[in-house]
Amino acid sequence: MTSAQLRQSFLDFFASKGHTIVPSSPLLPDSPNLLFTNAGMNQFVPYFLGDRPAPFKRAADTQKCIRAGGKHNDLEDVGFDTYHHTFFEMLGNWSFGDYFKKESLEWGWELLTKVWGIPAKRLFATVYSPDKSKGDPADFDQEAYDIWAAIFRREGLDPALHIINGNKKDNFWMMGDTGPCGPCSEIHFNLLPSDDEAAGRQRVNSSDSRCIEIWNHVFIQFNAEPDGTFKTLSARHVDTGMGFERVAGIIATTKGFKSFDAEPSNYNADVFASTLAKVAQLSGKTYTGTVPTKREGLPEQEMTDVAFRVLADHARTVSCAIADGIMPGNDGRNYVIRRILRRGILYGRRLGLQIGFFESLVDTVAAELGGIFPELRAKQDLIKRVILSEEESFGRTLDRGLMLFNKSYETYKAQGGVSAIPGTVAFELYDTFGFPLDMTELLATERGLKVDTAGFEAEMEKQKARGRESQVKTVISVNEGDTHAAATRFIGFNETSLHDVPAKLLEVVVSEGKTFLVFDQSPFYAEMGGQVGDTGVARLGDHILFITNTIKDAAGRFLHEVKTAASLTAHVGSAFSLTVDLDRRRAIQRHHSATHVLNFALREVLGTHVIQQGSYVTPGRMRFDFAHFEAVTPEQLIEVEHIANTHILANDTINWFETEFDKKPANCIATFGEKYGKVVRVVDIGGWSVELCGGTHVRATGEIGAFKILAETGVAAGKRRIEAVAGEAAQTLLEGNHQKLSRLALRMGCGLDEVEARFDKFFEEKATLERELKALKQKAATHLAAELAAGATVRADGLRLVAAVVTSDDATALRELALQLARRLGPSAVVLGAEIGGKASLVAHCTAEANATGLQAGAIIKDLSAKLGGKGGGKPDLAMGGAPDTAKMAEAIKAVFG
Ligand code: SER
């Protein structure tokens, strides 16, 4: 059975049991708390929790998973063993409140032993047995135990030998710290040469490649709550996951579960074959499948085999992540992908592979997996371009970084007794050379060293602190220990509620020389999510206070900054009337809504990998940072701008509403790393742009007026920035541009339409004139040289001498003239001077014959420059100089040859 047949057989089996076959969900998870899709069940979470009704009662699929950098992190082991991956497929079957343990385990057994023919004697089952002393949740899974006992007895096998209890760590499955979870039952496969049950049993759950878990059946009954408790769900569900590559590897190694002599390896599965072959072809090395037993000082072939496995794994991970819009970048999941790619590049280097090799692995990955995951083929070019650009940027620093590491290693080895690479070095490698910390750790481990990670973190913290210091933001920490602090109620989303809003003054906060007012409620938007704070006035009777900014503190209090010398504490408790500067707020809102329109347009033009990475929205302009791997071309920018303006013109309605995070619309864009509460605000523009956003917006796109991009620049590797203007600012800019163009047309005496053609003509004429001028100058120089040559003094020994002041454009032309003159004269000495830019420029040329009589160009110029108060010198044949005194130049030059 090939890997593809194995996958199909799994799906066919569950289809025959009434399961709907669904496609894999993307690796970019819906939940902002997950780095990557890490299990088949992720896409079904809303069904388990009852947030959405499941469209089917049973489902099965193969799911793309990445386990790196999060709760389930296998990165460090990849390559060093034969069964861990950062990317893998998980085959799974699901019941949403339908069948439960009995069917799931019975069908699982049927598929493994009857359909695929795995010898029953080699299989072991684990069941959940909580360690109550450690506070493990729920009870012993008697139901699963009984089902397994009946199965094993039916096969004539002893349940006492084949069933193993496991505690929370091994047999209570959780997606993350929160989310649906429950007791699970795993099936382990004894791959030792002998099928002795006692020996197999002993190795279950002992990280032994000869006895490994192949299938986990999770019985979802609870939701892990943020407070650490487990809430019982209203229905019971089944979630199973089988390691596709493991089973495929076992089939390949055991020749269809028949021969158990060879050491099993997932990499024997044909799904890795073409990538391994490609690496062999590129490197000229051979994969022999050896597995190291330690991490440091590996023999060459072991290191080679580790590198082959790392590349076979990482090429899939990086390709599939990019296909699903997860670009290598600087934070969060994007940084994990960059780390994996860089780790791959490092291992490629071990095999002698040059920058650009990783990109060429994309084709083999697409060939291997493109059939089942079509996005790999659809995005093949994009994936390659992204990887190549990453390779090139890391390639620029890799060698120098490795040199620094080696230098540091040698230094510390020479010092003796030091066992860790210092945090400062690890940080420099990270910060300057782009070495992820785990890569430095890997390099250290290979040499039997550790990295001072605490020192690294300390350096990182120092850098962050430096960054914080350089920000000119007001940092408010007054609520520390302040028990009165309560969040201000914001009531300013609608324009109609920004005027004369009653509010009670609760506190006057003075911090860092500034005075802030805190009210019970406020229509003032406090700076947040990139949108600047509102300004306006606060009235108390006839008394008017100008509010110059609004910010928010950690407790959620809105701090309204006022410029006043008077003490306001006496007014605490008084009723104020608050009015926001509406024109300014409208200008801000136009820019904020424009960022959403821009986000949409960028994703249309560049692709859905464009993820917002920050924004700054003011009344006068906006800034939008996003993930993209290369500069946006001028043509693309024009298209983006055009799409944005078309959608503005459409005057689509902008709606906002609050909902629970889990119930947000399916097409809603959430940003990873943002901390979203249970209730979120959704901003929906015409149904085509749906984003989570806490900012304020205009009511319809038409209010944005116009949108104009000012600049597109790179901020960091994989991060771009667009600066743009909307509304009045765009209008002012466009009017200004138009006026400039009109003035230009006027000066050129033509209509606006003709300006470009006129310019082309103008430049053409300029080029012709320049050519003509150059020819004329050359002619003049030749003429001058002839004249000077004719006037040369001929010495008795035949040496010709010229010393003259001439007219010249620049020092280069003067030098050329001297050389031309020398060519005409033959054996000669020439000294020329010219006034250039108000100063004396000097040049001397002496032929070998002149040198033989003691005339040296360098000496002549040195002497001459000094006489004129300047400096100069050069070689015996040619020398140049300059001096401020032009008045005496003629006389001094005349005197050179006496
Ligand atoms: N969710 C379980 C796992 O990932 C079974 O699918 O192992």
Side-chain angles (χ1 to χ4, degrees), residues 38-41 67 90 94 173 213 216-218 239-242:
N38 66 359
M41 53 82 78
R67 288 192 177 176
M90 187 182 279
W94 284 274
W173 198 84
E213 177 211 336
N216 190 9
H217 291 238
V218 184
D239 151 32
T240 87
M242 174 188 285

Side-chain angles (χ1 to χ4, degrees), residues 38-42 48 65 67 72 88 90-94 173-175 180 184 186 213 215-218 220 238-242:
N38 66 359
M41 53 82 78
N42 293 167
F48 292 138
C65 297
R67 288 192 177 176
H72 300 277
F88 61 95
M90 187 182 279
L91 296 164
N93 57 286
W94 284 274
W173 198 84
M174 295 176 70
M175 176 179 89
C184 62
E186 296 175 347
E213 177 211 336
W215 200 351
N216 190 9
H217 291 238
V218 184
I220 304 248
V238 170
D239 151 32
T240 87
M242 174 188 285

